[in-house]
């Protein structure tokens, strides 16, 4: 449906193959992917490396000017933390695979001037539904529940 | 003024001694420090390890029940990203060294039910004022400006 979302889904599948949480993200700048990431809770025992955070970390230290013309792709609606990272860096646009299995603070993020596009991807929902049905306790941990 | 804030300041000073951004944080659970951290932008080339995030990362994978009775201390008012992490994990209380040199989305965080206590620490302000006057470009990078 979208080559950048396809790349984020590829990251989510990598996470699943590592027995991790299947959420992926890519950061796009000037029409090119400059960083990729996926949730690292299992792989690195990480409490902060959600897919979007892993992607931003892998992007390294960018300038404000870079962030301000970038687009972040995520297979799932960004949580409070990842939404906060978007706001911190002034990333103007986020493309979201789906927001049915989980929804972050989308209205607040939009009220702060960020454009959100939700693709409602069946593939993204299937990845999450599989996780939620087979490892509910892991998913709850990842969203602080 | 507060032994836990003193520990956060100690972390900030470690960061300064490493030529990093002098912001520190500790996480307190049941009256004990369970994790410490400081900003890792310089040290690890990190875009996501603000002091509070480094502290939460060093705490490892905690249960929701643990987060929900914890207190996060930070020498500086948490930015959008770090505030978002507090909201994600349902940390009920944040003690802030100062919010004069920088202020995160405190009203929003309070509206989401988090108790914020601002100590207005001279020591914390001095650490930040020194950074802002000597390395303004580094500080701007850290807050996406």
């Amino acid at each position: 449906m979208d080559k950048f979302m396809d790349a984020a889904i590829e990251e989510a599948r990598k996470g699943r193959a590592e027995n991790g949480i299947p959420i992926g993200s890519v950061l796009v700048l000037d029409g090119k992917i400059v960083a990729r990431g996926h949730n690292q809770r299992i792989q690195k025992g990480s409490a902060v490396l959600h897919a979007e955070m892993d992607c931003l970390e892998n992007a390294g230290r960018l300038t404000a000017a870079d962030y301000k013309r970038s687009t972040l792709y995520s297979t799932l609606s960004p949580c409070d933390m990842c939404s906060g990272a978007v706001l911190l860096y002034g990333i103007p646009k986020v493309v979201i695979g789906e927001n049915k299995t989980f929804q972050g603070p989308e209205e607040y993020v939009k009220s702060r001037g960020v454009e959100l596009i939700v693709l409602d991807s069946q593939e993204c929902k299937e990845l999450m539904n599989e996780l939620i049905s087979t490892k509910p306790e892991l998913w709850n941990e990842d969203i602080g529940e």
Side-chain angles (χ1 to χ4, degrees), chain A residues 16-55:
Chain A
R16 190 178 65 167
E18 295 161 359
N19 289 314
I21 292 172
I23 305 173
S25 177
V26 300
L27 186 68
V28 173
L29 193 56
D30 302 333
K32 287 185 190 158
I33 293 174
V34 293
R36 298 164 185 259
H38 54 270
N39 187 296
Q40 300 289 345
R41 180 170 295 274
I42 292 291
Q43 298 90 324
K44 295 186 178 172
S46 177
V48 308
L49 293 176
H50 278 187
E52 301 90 326
M53 306 295 285
D54 188 48
C55 178

Side-chain angles (χ1 to χ4, degrees), chain A residues 3-141:
Chain A
K3 68 178 176 178
F4 299 129
M5 186 54 68
D6 286 345
I9 292 171
E10 194 179 289
E11 282 294 317
R13 292 195 182 285
K14 272 190 206 169
R16 190 178 65 167
E18 295 161 359
N19 289 314
I21 292 172
I23 305 173
S25 177
V26 300
L27 186 68
V28 173
L29 193 56
D30 302 333
K32 287 185 190 158
I33 293 174
V34 293
R36 298 164 185 259
H38 54 270
N39 187 296
Q40 300 289 345
R41 180 170 295 274
I42 292 291
Q43 298 90 324
K44 295 186 178 172
S46 177
V48 308
L49 293 176
H50 278 187
E52 301 90 326
M53 306 295 285
D54 188 48
C55 178
L56 292 172
E57 185 71 336
N58 290 337
R61 293 171 53 186
L62 302 181
T63 65
D66 283 340
Y67 288 120
K68 283 173 181 44
R69 62 179 205 284
S70 69
T71 299
L72 185 66
Y73 287 74
S74 177
T75 56
L76 183 65
S77 179
C79 78
D80 282 303
M81 173 175 68
C82 300
S83 296
V86 166
L87 295 171
L88 167 66
Y89 286 122
I91 296 172
K93 184 174 173 180
V94 181
V95 182
I96 296 169
E98 64 103 355
N99 64 2
K100 292 289 194 303
T101 65
F102 173 84
Q103 187 170 335
E106 293 183 7
E107 289 309 313
Y108 173 66
V109 173
K110 285 193 272 189
S111 79
R112 295 276 306 269
V114 180
E115 181 187 3
L116 299 185
I117 295 175
V118 181
L119 302 182
D120 197 36
S121 153
Q122 190 59 32
E123 205 168 355
C124 293
K125 283 186 274 192
E126 281 167 10
L127 282 163
M128 286 307 299
N129 281 328
E130 183 193 13
L131 174 78
I132 292 166
S133 63
T134 58
K135 301 174 184 171
E137 68 301 324
L138 176 61
W139 175 234
N140 285 339
E141 180 192 318

